[in-house]
Amino acid sequence: IVFDPTGESFYISDSSLGTVTQFDTASLQKQGALPAGPGAFGTAISRDGSTLYVNNQAANSVSRFDLKSGQPRAVITGFAQPRQGVRLSPDGRTLYVTNFLGDKIIAVDTATNKVEGEIAGFKKLRAISVTPDGKTIFAANSGSDSIAVVDVEKRTIASTIAVGKNPYGAALTPDARQVYVGNLGDSTVSVIDVASRKVIASITGFNEPRQAIVFSANAKTAYVLNKDLSIAKVDMVGHRIESTIDAKP
């Protein structure tokens, strides 16, 4: 799931249907759908809201959509099972795409839609986040129960942070001070302090959380998707679950 910059609509990818559906935020009504193809996983939207990138695991590609027309403008190839991890650099010039096979992040020049480099050394790579200065990537290593801290300029892993079991999520808070990590293996969320690179809290009570973690604009509430499609509402100050929104039957 990804929101457009205005917050007025959001997009949900469906890997089984091969579509990315747009919904109105206020009414939750469907506004349209983009034909992304089977295996449509992660999505990233440009800061001006004009372009949507969609990872396509089945085709080992990334589709670039023009949101004004709803038409694809490019299909970028050269990946190996790109899944949920796809993020744009803050300046929009580079697209970072995770590859589950090969355990690497591939960097794409968005001006040319060409691969320009890669970062390797991960273990069962899942979700990623990029800091606002564009200098650091946080990447979930589900195979080593850790978050990799990537030096973007050097394109190397600078360090790792031990978290819970089988981490999938690596969501940077709106103020960029913390990273929330959904740990599928022990049903917890680890909270990392970005400045110290240390885990400052481990929140329990989830049901196999994965990569779907979003935040309120004031950075006071986190919403974490559980395995059963319920959503845990998390108090980010007290580091506890306030309530759970059950999935509709």
Side-chain angles (χ1 to χ4, degrees):
I1 181 172
V2 63
F3 284 83
D4 76 4
T6 67
E8 295 177 356
S9 63
F10 60 92
Y11 298 83
I12 296 179
S13 59
D14 189 316
S15 60
S16 59
L17 295 178
T19 59
V20 177
T21 305
Q22 181 185 12
F23 291 90
D24 177 78
T25 302
S27 67
L28 300 181
Q29 295 299 307
K30 179 179 175 180
Q31 293 181 307
L34 305 172
F41 265 75
T43 52
I45 195 168
S46 60
R47 296 185 74 174
D48 62 4
S50 66
T51 304
L52 183 74
Y53 296 90
V54 183
N55 277 1
N56 191 304
Q57 177 186 314
N60 292 320
S61 64
V62 173
S63 298
R64 177 175 180 163
F65 285 91
D66 173 60
L67 291 178
K68 185 175 182 179
S69 66
Q71 298 298 313
R73 292 297 182 229
V75 176
I76 308 167
T77 59
F79 309 102
Q81 283 195 22
R83 295 189 178 181
Q84 57 266 41
V86 56
R87 288 289 183 271
L88 281 160
S89 61
D91 60 13
R93 295 179 179 178
T94 306
L95 182 74
Y96 298 105
V97 182
T98 63
N99 291 253
F100 191 69
L101 290 182
D103 275 325
K104 58 187 177 183
I105 297 173
I106 288 181
V108 176
D109 183 334
T110 58
T112 63
N113 297 319
K114 301 292 185 183
V115 172
E116 64 174 12
E118 64 180 49
I119 305 163
F122 304 96
K123 190 171 183 181
K124 292 188 178 180
L125 177 62
R126 303 291 182 176
I128 59 174
S129 284
V130 185
T131 55
D133 61 9
K135 295 181 179 180
T136 304
I137 293 174
F138 292 96
N141 282 314
S142 64
S144 61
D145 299 339
S146 67
I147 295 294
V149 182
V150 177
D151 183 318
V152 171
E153 184 179 1
K154 295 180 180 179
R155 289 188 175 170
T156 59
I157 297 174
S159 62
T160 58
I161 304 167
V163 290
K165 294 181 180 179
N166 201 3
Y168 270 57
L172 192 67
T173 56
D175 58 12
R177 293 181 178 181
Q178 298 176 342
V179 177
Y180 273 57
V181 181
N183 301 304
L184 181 149
D186 58 13
S187 291
T188 65
V189 167
S190 301
V191 182
I192 296 171
D193 176 68
V194 169
S196 66
R197 303 288 200 263
K198 296 182 181 297
V199 173
I200 58 172
S202 180
I203 309 171
T204 60
F206 301 94
N207 180 4
E208 297 187 13
R210 303 195 183 190
Q211 70 274 7
I213 303 172
V214 295
F215 307 96
S216 60
N218 61 9
K220 291 184 177 180
T221 305
Y223 298 90
V224 181
L225 183 66
N226 288 306
K227 178 184 178 181
D228 60 4
L229 301 184
S230 65
I231 298 172
K233 184 179 179 181
V234 178
D235 173 7
M236 296 173 62
V237 177
H239 297 133
R240 63 182 182 85
I241 296 176
E242 290 183 340
S243 61
T244 301
I245 304 169
D246 291 330
K248 293 182 179 180

